[in-house]
Amino acid sequence: MTISSGILAGVWIDLSWYLFALLTVLALIRAPWFRLVESDSSNIYFASIVILLVLWQIRASIIPGQEFHFLGVGAATLMFGWEFAFLAVQILLVTGIVLSGSSWDSFAMNSLLLGAIPAGLTHVSLRLSQRFLPHNFFIYIFLNAFIISGLGIMLTGTVLYYLLMHSHAPLSQQMQSDYLIVLLMTAIPEGTINGMTITSLIVYKPQWVTTFRDNIYLSKK
């Protein structure tokens, strides 16, 4: 759900840069950098970014200045943590801007929409489920990977819709009425892609999913 420059009002752009700077500093401080020096970890991380870059090319535009595409941030958060997932989105956006030569005005806002919201939602869901729900393999998969990834893109779209409405963006009546339908149509495959990715990795490469612990989810099973 990339939003182009010049669509949002200036006040939203200014606020996004302040919040972006705060979250980026927090991510840089909290990120477990030691994991990148572990065997093949950095290769897996940057390979994942390349895969996400390809995934983001599958996009559609139904509103002038706004494009819908899959995110994959939920899976990245479960694999690397919200800090690295948020930083990965920034790398993807920088790559897109450099290749297209577009403006940097909406970079911070897109980083928050495409990175901070879905990554933050996945992180909070994971922590809450670990604290209040049984440590069950299926809860980990279906809640944090399938369901939350779908909800993440819906939350991102809802926030974006609110921003567009309050920035007097060109939204026709038909677009307004179809927006929720488009979000639902995007959320279902988004949840499916993230869920199947995490399920496959846990089966074949569980060491690549840093938030998954055999002794927690598979003990006594």
Side-chain angles (χ1 to χ4, degrees):
M1 295 179 178
T2 307
I3 189 165
S4 301
S5 301
I7 297 297
L8 296 181
V11 62
W12 294 114
I13 296 298
D14 294 338
L15 288 174
S16 70
W17 278 103
Y18 289 122
L19 184 55
F20 165 79
L22 177 63
L23 289 178
T24 299
V25 171
L26 184 62
L28 290 172
I29 294 174
R30 288 177 50 90
W33 295 102
F34 66 91
R35 290 178 181 166
L36 291 186
V37 300
E38 294 176 351
S39 178
D40 293 330
S41 294
S42 58
N43 292 335
I44 295 169
Y45 180 64
F46 289 109
S48 299
I49 293 177
V50 173
I51 293 173
L52 288 177
L53 182 61
V54 174
L55 182 65
W56 281 26
Q57 303 312 306
I58 306 174
R59 61 181 68 198
S61 177
I62 64 170
I63 297 173
Q66 180 194 350
E67 295 178 330
F68 284 77
H69 58 77
F70 299 118
L71 299 180
V73 178
T77 303
L78 294 176
M79 290 178 65
F80 308 108
W82 76 266
E83 300 92 346
F84 283 130
F86 182 47
L87 295 173
V89 169
Q90 296 181 35
I91 294 174
L92 291 170
L93 291 173
V94 168
T95 302
I97 291 174
V98 171
L99 293 178
S100 64
S102 56
S103 173
W104 290 86
D105 292 350
S106 60
F107 171 75
M109 181 60 75
N110 282 324
S111 296
L112 296 176
L113 289 171
L114 306 182
I117 290 179
L121 183 62
T122 303
H123 175 75
V124 171
S125 170
L126 179 63
R127 291 292 175 261
L128 291 176
S129 65
Q130 289 175 336
R131 182 177 183 127
F132 297 108
L133 296 178
H135 292 163
N136 185 281
F137 172 81
F138 294 102
I139 290 178
Y140 178 91
I141 292 293
F142 288 106
L143 175 61
N144 298 304
F146 281 92
I147 297 176
I148 295 302
S149 293
L151 291 178
I153 201 168
M154 289 197 67
L155 180 58
T156 296
T158 301
V159 173
L160 179 53
Y161 181 78
Y162 175 86
L163 293 174
L164 291 172
M165 290 294 293
H166 286 77
S167 297
H168 307 293
L171 292 172
S172 67
Q173 191 66 35
Q174 182 65 33
M175 290 177 180
Q176 295 180 39
S177 62
D178 291 345
Y179 198 90
L180 178 59
I181 297 176
V182 173
L183 281 182
L184 287 172
M185 293 175 62
T186 309
I188 294 174
E190 176 73 20
T192 302
I193 290 173
N194 284 269
M196 292 180 64
T197 298
I198 293 300
T199 302
S200 300
L201 289 176
I202 289 177
V203 171
Y204 297 105
K205 293 288 184 179
Q207 68 273 18
W208 291 6
V209 185
T210 60
T211 61
F212 183 83
R213 294 289 184 272
D214 290 351
N215 61 331
I216 294 178
Y217 293 102
L218 298 179
S219 61
K220 300 180 182 179
K221 298 295 188 292

